[in-house]
Amino acid sequence: MADIRIGTTIGTTPEQGDASAGPSPADRRMLAVALTATFMGSFDLFVVNVATEALRADLRASDAALELVVSGYAFAYAAGLITGGRLGDRFGYRRTFVAGMVAFTVTSLLCGLAQGAGELVVARMAQGLSAAVMVPQVLSLVTARFPAAHRGRATGWNGAVAGIGSIAGQLLGGVLLQADVFGLGWRAVFLVNVPVGVVASVAAWRMLPPHVAGPRRQFDALGALGVTATLALLLVPLALGRDEGWPVWTWVCLAAAAPVAWATWRWQRVLRARGGEPVLNPALFRNRPYLTLLAGLGAFQLYFGAYMFTLALLLQAGLGASPLTAGAVFVPQAVMFTTGSLLSGRLTARHGVRWPVAGGALVVGGLALAAGRLTASDGTVSPWALTPALLLNGLGNGLLMPPIIGAALSRVTPGTAGAASGMLNTAQQAASSLGVALLGMLFFAVSGPGLRDARAGMTAVSAVFAVLVAVAAALMWSTHRRT
């Protein structure tokens, strides 16, 4: 067995290859093409945030429909990620990636052509499922093709591109709406994916390795259904419960989530005992370092999803910024997130876990600085006054998040790459959705009706954010100390 530390391989296996040999030029090109999926999946998580009022006016969408347009994509994305990872193991990562990219392109077109709110909701959920097919293949390819000692840098690029995609969704969405390209209005934020998706599909078929796949066994449809149902029973009532007044069905769904999860896990164990290949690989649940890092990633994403959501509301409802200005305010943070992500793999490989932990400290400091700026002034606060805090947050996020993913993937074998990356991606998106739902409730409760005191709401949730970031950094540190 290989003794793999963060950024360092002490011994290798035939599966892992020679850690001293860096990735080939072909593998670098492969990564560049694969990262288009990371960008597009992240971009479409955020791009509709700036288009909600345009959707309300053009499609006469209700509040519930608008929420489903935003959250339906995230739910379908989270619910399908583990299955998407297993599909890559079963049918090959290139084939699955291209199928997902083509489906994402088609569903983006359907979103742009929707004639009513109901059509748009259905198309958005289909788009989220398409993203769940293509995105897990990125980390699967990294795990299967890159030596363990070089995965940190590759996941650093993955984190950087994801961060750029999330910010571009906010900024480019505002630009497209203001420019009203060809008179398309809100439709442009979806149709922009079509030419990109066509080019990416062709490039992926030509440049991704054709024969990289895990063991070819029968697909666990029942397990996939159980995982999806468990997430649906949690995420749907949490996403809609507040606006619906928490009717009985929301509590029934939440109560049913635990027994469905238990039944799904029992089936996974039974299937494994019969020699089958379950969606949730039980071997991963015996991998304590991987599970610890998975928990750390979940804590980080609880913070990050809610942070992006509440910050956008603060800038627009609390500080009076337009959608375009709000998107522009995110740019310095995005630059620092990209910088931190690109540096994180190299710094962690050379100096160990101290840099990711330092990144967590920077985020806590940035949150405290922003909260102090919001509470110190009784008058109007310019959105740009938060820039120093956002710079710290961006750099800290980039230094902390990618090394958690890289360290987790360093503790799995290429044979479980699809299942492991699917679980990581699912943890990210599900935790992000839960963060928006749970911490969003705290934000709205403190802010009051109409977000009349959004600054107080942001200050309150920032305290919770700081705790979650500290937990993520502590779990990263504890895993390093035990290995």
Side-chain angles (χ1 to χ4, degrees), residues 22-435:
S24 67
D27 286 339
R28 292 190 178 97
R29 290 193 295 270
M30 173 209 75
L31 180 62
V33 172
L35 287 175
T36 59
T38 299
F39 178 88
M40 295 174 76
S42 181
F43 178 89
D44 274 79
L45 273 172
F46 294 94
V47 71
V48 295
N49 289 341
V50 297
T52 51
E53 291 306 308
L55 289 170
R56 188 195 303 276
D58 189 37
L59 299 181
R60 299 184 180 181
S62 65
D63 289 344
L66 289 175
E67 187 165 352
L68 284 172
V69 168
V70 175
S71 64
Y73 175 95
F75 158 69
Y77 190 15
L81 279 168
I82 291 179
T83 301
R86 298 301 296 122
L87 288 173
D89 284 344
R90 175 66 177 84
F91 297 106
Y93 302 138
R94 183 181 75 166
R95 186 183 303 173
T96 307
F97 180 98
V98 173
M101 181 64 75
V102 170
F104 190 87
T105 303
V106 172
T107 52
S108 295
L109 178 62
L110 293 176
C111 287
L113 298 178
Q115 298 301 304
E119 290 180 28
L120 183 56
V121 168
V122 172
R124 277 286 285 173
M125 295 186 73
Q127 189 188 36
L129 286 174
S130 301
V133 173
M134 66 178 183
V135 171
Q137 314 318 317
V138 180
L139 291 181
S140 295
L141 285 162
V142 167
T143 305
R145 296 283 298 190
F146 281 64
H150 295 271
R151 290 176 199 159
R153 295 182 186 180
T155 56
W157 276 104
N158 187 66
V161 171
I164 292 171
S166 65
I167 303 304
Q170 303 272 1
L171 180 59
L172 184 56
V175 170
L176 289 171
L177 283 169
Q178 184 160 312
D180 193 19
V181 181
F182 301 122
L184 292 171
W186 60 267
R187 299 178 189 276
V189 305
F190 299 113
L191 295 177
V192 70
N193 291 326
V194 176
V196 177
V198 170
V199 173
S201 298
V202 174
W205 188 255
R206 295 185 61 183
M207 295 186 186
L208 266 57
H211 302 301
V212 179
R216 296 175 64 85
R217 299 184 183 180
Q218 186 175 2
F219 181 66
D220 177 20
L222 186 58
L225 179 62
V227 171
T228 302
T230 300
L231 289 173
L233 290 169
L234 285 172
L235 297 180
V236 171
L238 288 174
L240 301 180
R242 185 183 62 85
D243 285 345
E244 296 291 326
W246 297 103
V248 173
W249 70 264
T250 59
W251 299 107
V252 172
C253 288
L254 290 172
V260 171
W262 179 84
T264 301
W265 176 241
R266 288 290 298 171
W267 165 246
Q268 300 298 278
R269 296 183 64 181
V270 169
L271 182 60
R272 186 66 173 178
R274 293 176 180 174
E277 186 70 13
V279 168
L280 299 174
N281 192 325
L284 294 173
F285 289 87
R286 295 191 296 270
N287 186 335
R288 186 177 177 184
Y290 174 82
L291 287 182
T292 301
L293 292 163
L294 187 69
L297 183 63
F300 180 88
Q301 287 298 137
L302 278 170
Y303 139 73
F304 189 70
Y307 169 73
M308 294 291 287
F309 175 69
T310 55
L311 181 59
L313 289 173
L314 169 72
L315 291 172
Q316 296 182 65
L319 304 184
S322 67
L324 183 58
T325 299
V329 171
F330 279 100
V331 171
Q333 179 177 246
V335 171
M336 296 308 293
F337 185 95
T338 303
T339 302
S341 296
L342 295 177
L343 291 174
S344 62
R346 182 175 303 173
L347 290 173
T348 303
R350 289 183 178 178
H351 305 290
V353 76
R354 288 172 293 179
W355 279 99
V357 172
L362 287 176
V363 176
V364 173
L367 292 169
L369 181 61
R373 184 68 183 87
L374 292 172
T375 57
S377 175
D378 294 329
T380 302
V381 177
S382 168
W384 295 102
L386 299 180
T387 299
L390 298 184
L391 289 172
L392 289 177
N393 288 347
L395 181 60
N397 289 333
L399 290 173
L400 177 58
M401 188 266 283
I404 295 177
I405 297 175
L409 290 177
S410 293
R411 288 161 170 81
V412 301
T413 63
T416 59
S421 64
M423 286 179 62
L424 283 172
N425 278 295
T426 298
Q428 283 186 279
Q429 303 307 325
S432 180
S433 298
L434 287 172

